[in-house]
Amino acid sequence: MYLKTLHLKQFRNYQNQKVEFTAAKTILVGNNAQGKSNLLEAVELLATLRSHRMARDRDLIKEGESTAQIHGTLDRIHSHSDLTLTLRRHSRRSVAINGVTVPRQMDFLGVLNAVEFSSLDLELVRGSPEIRRNWLDTLLIQLEPVYAHILHQYHQVLRQRNAFLKRYVNTPEKSLQSELAIWDAQLVTAGTRVIIRRDRAIKRLSPIASAWHASISGASEVLEINYAANIPLEKTSPQELQAAFFAKLQQRAVAELHRGITLVGPHRDEVELIINQTPA
Ligand SMILES: Nc1ncnc2c1ncn2[C@@H]1O[C@H](COP(=O)(O)OP(=O)(O)O)[C@@H](O)[C@H]1O
Ligand SMILES: [Mg+2]
């Protein structure tokens, strides 16, 4: 697969810019604030529909404009595709493949695959768990596009459950039990799906990363990557995992109602990087 052209309209600092990638490698050179990172961000958006800068759509649209468009053409072994992402200041974004609007954004994902490697990746090791979760989620969205939908569902339930907890902060748990149970069931169902896919991805990645790490470090270091969920993951079946999730929610119910936020679930999980049995 090969990205052949990129056409940016009213995206970030670009008014109307066509770029053709004709060589096997392309080097972008320019002074600060000329749009190098913006161009890479456009590629990232076509691949994942996300930006690691966590920008909102209106930040991506050129100042003073109401829409932006990123259009890319790809050469693949057996086909040629073109991808269009349209961003709007006052309504929802839309996506099209080969000129045809795709109603489900999920179907747009996975057409273009991109890997970003940068000095900021140090943050993956040094930064907060959120950075590692976000990195893993972006990877998963490209590998298993349905994951975008699963993650969205989880965040939606989480937001609603948090709003509920906040509204009834410090209310005795007993009086809320039946209503809370409804949110718990949804949180557990959606959350378990997130946990299972993240754990599976890390289990696939870990041996590959370990092998590469050993070859770079001269085999003096052993790298291990684990998905550390805040509920025990030894449980093998999804049902057992769900039961463990429920149990943990029950355990933390008083604390949750005291603080008014959800304390259990994949939004608080960690991706552990361990070298020679010590956190990296
Ligand atoms: N929504 C926007 N509208 C107009 N300009 C923008 C927008 N977002 C970012 N910029 C501009 O893009 C420039 C930064 O581009 P960037 O790609 O980060 O530069 P670099 O080439 O250093 O990587 C800045 O001048 C910034 O003002
Ligand atoms: Mg830059």
Side-chain angles (χ1 to χ4, degrees), residues 4-280:
K4 285 202 73 177
T5 68
L6 202 57
H7 188 176
L8 307 176
K9 284 193 256 180
Q10 294 162 195
F11 175 76
R12 293 279 195 192
N13 63 326
Y14 293 100
Q15 181 59 39
N16 189 349
Q17 181 69 54
K18 281 187 184 164
V19 190
E20 280 188 40
F21 302 104
T22 47
K25 286 188 184 128
T26 302
I27 299 177
L28 304 171
V29 185
N31 284 335
N32 244 342
Q34 296 305 295
K36 301 180 298 294
S37 297
N38 292 344
L39 191 139
L40 296 178
E41 185 181 36
V43 176
E44 183 185 13
L45 278 160
L46 285 186
T48 65
L49 292 174
R50 286 153 67 98
S51 159
H52 69 284
R53 289 167 163 177
M54 314 248 185
R56 297 161 300 180
D57 283 8
R58 71 181 111 112
D59 303 324
L60 301 170
I61 299 168
K62 191 167 193 290
E63 260 161 53
E65 304 288 353
S66 58
T67 63
Q69 197 164 67
I70 304 169
H71 177 255
T73 56
L74 312 181
D75 255 353
R76 318 185 77 198
I77 295 173
H78 299 294
S79 64
H80 172 93
S81 347
D82 72 76
L83 299 175
T84 314
L85 167 62
T86 307
L87 305 163
R88 299 178 180 86
R89 199 174 286 280
H90 300 294
S91 69
R92 287 161 64 92
R93 47 165 75 175
S94 60
V95 290
I97 302 179
N98 299 330
V100 180
T101 301
V102 183
R104 293 190 314 172
Q105 301 204 347
M106 195 172 92
D107 297 327
F108 187 86
L109 298 166
V111 179
L112 170 63
N113 297 122
V115 176
E116 178 174 356
F117 178 70
S118 92
S119 59
L120 297 178
D121 289 346
L122 247 195
E123 285 291 295
L124 253 181
V125 181
R126 304 275 143 153
S128 67
E130 187 184 7
I131 290 173
R132 286 179 285 282
R133 285 192 297 266
N134 210 35
W135 164 81
L136 177 57
D137 288 340
T138 304
L139 177 74
L140 262 166
I141 283 171
Q142 293 196 65
L143 292 174
E144 306 169 9
V146 70
Y147 182 74
H149 175 67
I150 291 170
L151 190 65
H152 177 74
Q153 273 187 328
Y154 179 71
H155 283 148
Q156 217 167 355
V157 179
L158 180 64
R159 226 178 5 252
Q160 289 166 332
R161 191 176 184 275
N162 279 342
F164 177 82
L165 290 173
K166 204 166 162 193
R167 186 155 15 109
Y168 294 105
V169 80
N170 288 328
T171 311
E173 190 207 341
K174 282 269 175 286
S175 61
L176 297 174
Q177 242 165 17
S178 59
E179 214 174 332
L180 197 56
I182 298 170
W183 291 119
D184 288 359
Q186 294 190 35
L187 190 82
V188 165
T189 307
T192 303
R193 296 173 81 194
V194 170
I195 295 169
I196 287 173
R197 281 178 195 258
R198 282 187 182 166
D199 183 49
R200 194 167 61 199
I202 292 295
K203 285 204 166 79
R204 278 172 67 193
L205 181 73
S206 182
I208 301 170
S210 299
W212 277 106
H213 186 88
S215 79
I216 294 166
S217 70
S220 59
E221 292 186 345
V222 179
L223 170 72
E224 231 183 287
I225 309 180
N226 293 319
Y227 185 65
N230 58 64
I231 51 171
L233 271 184
E234 309 84 74
K235 310 280 180 237
T236 44
S237 74
Q239 290 74 20
E240 283 174 298
L241 202 57
Q242 288 191 359
F245 199 150
F246 264 121
K248 187 79 186 258
L249 275 174
Q250 228 110 73
Q251 244 178 54
R252 304 302 305 274
V254 174
E256 284 191 327
L257 273 166
H258 178 64
R259 293 184 45 192
I261 51 163
T262 300
L263 296 173
V264 183
H267 63 292
R268 293 172 75 95
D269 286 350
E270 171 65 296
V271 178
E272 286 175 344
L273 301 160
I274 297 165
I275 293 176
N276 294 348
Q277 275 131 47
T278 322

